[in-house]
Amino acid sequence: SAIRLPPLPSLADLLRMLDLRARRQLSQNFLLEPRLLNKLAKAAKPLAGCHVLEIGCGPGGFTRELFREGAQRVVGVELDRRFQPCLENLQDCVRAADRDLELHFTSAVNFSTDGLFTQREQDLSADWHSQQLPKIRLVGNLPFNISTPLLMTWLQDIAERRSVWQHGRVPLVLTFQKEFADRLLADTWTRSRGRPSILTQYLCEARRCFDISGRAFLPQAKVDVTVVRLVPLRQPLIPVPYPYVNKLVKHAFAFPNKSLVACMETLFPPDRCDLLIRLFAETGTQPQCTPRELSIAQFSDLCQAYHRMCQTEGSELFDFTYIGKEDLWRTRKSVQRKVLNGLTVNYFTVANIVNKTRLAQQANQSG
């Protein structure tokens, strides 16, 4: 249940007393408004009895609201040791209310979650395929400079069900720059759609909670911020191991404004145009469309076909990379011509069959 903390100095007073100022090299922007901090904590509800991993505690404003909303234990990760006095003060306050605040002063990028929640694993965990979520949350007012690499790492952990996600479908409530949040939530045919969109949406149910104006931060941020809630799906929309999905999607969005064939040719060795022709023919994908036009279902077809090719052709195909290949870029146009010429009228027949099959499967699932 929610608790009432003893009277504490306001965040602004704490920063003033300790003479703390935001460090630009750490991409720090403090959110001091209690109303917004409470709204941010409520986005992670239900929190009653939950154990929370918080990234970027700062002066502890968000941490206070997590306990007020009922969190049993908060594991805080903060790089800047200047906040240690105010966080330790909060630690003493919550301990008196039979709550636990565990502090780790280290970089979130290198922080290991192994063993954090194993002490009460049976009480906290939930089966991955059940509707019930585990009593663990991952939250954070993330610094802008590490939000993208952290999210990419967490998405791979979700796909492979490791780290905190070995305990079940742990939800995430995170803050991102509004522009990056738009990319995560972007739909087909929108200019914001990119690699983060596909990797997020095939693994998680993503929802925009609310926006925070840059003027609400201290110092004032130059961009607005969006709070996003991610809940891992019980079944990924692309049934292929994450490394294969990540590599194909990375190549597909290498040139987001160009045709798909111009992007995907670097996925295969330049002397294996037959594989690229086969990829488009088996999936019924238009080679001259842009990657932003493809749905998750179409990316699923491409990833499954690519995965089958890697299984039949050997590990050398997946290990191939165009970086450092001196003559590859000289042959790009000839590769594109071979691919487009190799896709004869039979391609369009296959494409129609694939699209009709996909529509029939969707109709059966909705029925």
Side-chain angles (χ1 to χ4, degrees):
S1 60
I3 64 170
R4 174 175 291 183
L5 295 175
L8 292 167
S10 69
L11 296 177
D13 290 339
L14 275 176
L15 296 177
R16 194 178 303 112
M17 287 187 296
L18 297 174
D19 194 25
L20 295 178
R21 290 177 174 82
R23 288 181 173 173
R24 181 176 296 180
Q25 61 267 32
L26 296 180
S27 191
Q28 289 179 338
N29 296 91
F30 304 137
L31 185 61
L32 306 180
E33 178 66 42
R35 178 183 60 84
L36 291 174
L37 290 168
N38 182 258
K39 192 175 180 181
L40 183 57
K42 286 183 176 179
K45 292 181 72 174
L47 284 172
C50 286
H51 291 217
V52 182
L53 174 60
E54 182 189 1
I55 305 299
C57 302
F62 188 21
T63 315
R64 296 181 186 184
E65 299 302 326
L66 292 172
F67 282 114
R68 286 181 177 137
E69 290 300 321
Q72 177 64 35
R73 174 182 174 226
V74 174
V75 179
V77 181
E78 174 57 53
L79 178 61
D80 195 347
R81 281 191 172 271
R82 296 181 302 158
F83 298 117
Q84 188 168 353
C86 48
L87 290 174
E88 288 180 346
N89 180 41
L90 179 59
Q91 191 177 41
D92 295 335
C93 292
V94 299
R95 188 178 293 124
D98 196 26
R99 298 294 195 268
D100 183 24
L101 174 58
E102 182 180 326
L103 300 174
H104 297 268
F105 292 96
T106 184
S107 171
V109 178
N110 302 321
F111 181 70
S112 173
T113 61
D114 295 339
L116 276 183
F117 305 106
T118 55
Q119 201 168 22
R120 296 178 54 193
E121 184 172 0
Q122 292 183 346
D123 299 333
L124 301 176
S125 300
D127 184 72
W128 189 276
H129 297 286
S130 69
Q131 293 185 351
Q132 182 181 2
L133 296 176
K135 288 191 174 183
I136 302 173
R137 301 289 184 270
L138 194 156
V139 302
N141 180 17
L142 301 179
F144 296 154
N145 61 341
I146 63 169
S147 58
T148 302
L150 276 179
L151 179 64
M152 293 298 109
T153 300
W154 290 335
L155 288 175
Q156 184 169 3
D157 290 341
I158 290 172
E160 299 176 358
R161 300 183 188 179
R162 64 188 186 193
S163 186
V164 297
W165 290 277
Q166 63 183 310
H167 304 288
R169 298 185 298 121
V170 175
L172 305 89
V173 176
L174 306 168
T175 59
F176 297 103
Q177 289 187 33
K178 188 175 184 298
E179 181 182 358
F180 184 73
D182 291 341
R183 294 178 63 193
L184 294 183
L185 305 169
D187 204 351
T188 312
W189 290 87
T190 56
R191 290 190 60 83
S192 300
R193 193 168 176 84
R195 175 173 165 243
S197 314
I198 306 302
L199 296 181
T200 300
Q201 295 172 25
Y202 102 87
L203 287 169
C204 301
E205 178 188 351
R207 178 171 64 88
R208 185 193 305 270
C209 296
F210 58 93
D211 295 335
I212 303 176
S213 171
R215 296 191 297 271
F217 292 87
L218 181 71
Q220 180 175 321
K222 297 180 180 179
V223 295
D224 293 341
V225 170
T226 297
V227 179
V228 177
R229 180 183 172 99
L230 304 175
V231 180
L233 297 171
R234 282 180 281 181
Q235 190 66 37
L237 299 181
I238 302 179
V240 174
Y242 179 86
Y244 295 90
V245 180
N246 182 42
K247 183 173 182 180
L248 184 137
V249 173
K250 183 178 180 181
H251 280 265
F253 283 97
F255 310 103
N257 294 321
K258 293 189 176 182
S259 64
L260 201 59
V261 64
C263 304
M264 301 288 283
E265 61 178 338
T266 55
L267 189 62
F268 302 103
D271 58 344
R272 294 303 307 272
C273 299
D274 58 304
L275 295 178
L276 188 54
I277 295 172
R278 209 172 104 198
L279 183 70
F280 286 124
E282 287 184 6
T283 58
T285 305
Q286 290 279 1
Q288 292 177 311
C289 69
T290 63
R292 290 172 177 154
E293 300 173 23
L294 300 184
S295 65
I296 297 290
Q298 290 173 303
F299 269 109
S300 178
D301 293 339
L302 287 170
C303 291
Q304 291 183 66
Y306 177 62
H307 183 240
R308 288 195 298 269
M309 291 179 187
C310 291
Q311 297 300 308
T312 56
E313 297 290 333
S315 60
E316 296 82 5
L317 181 60
F318 178 75
D319 295 336
F320 170 76
T321 175
Y322 67 88
I323 298 176
K325 304 291 183 181
E326 297 179 358
D327 59 340
L328 180 58
W329 292 104
R330 300 176 186 175
T331 60
R332 286 190 59 205
K333 293 301 178 183
S334 63
V335 169
Q336 293 178 32
R337 283 194 293 270
K338 289 179 182 178
V339 171
L340 294 176
N341 292 335
L343 291 170
T344 60
V345 70
N346 294 329
Y347 155 75
F348 297 101
T349 305
V350 173
N352 290 331
I353 293 173
V354 170
N355 291 330
K356 288 180 180 178
T357 304
R358 186 184 296 118
L359 291 174
Q361 291 174 349
Q362 294 175 353
N364 292 334
Q365 290 175 357
S366 61

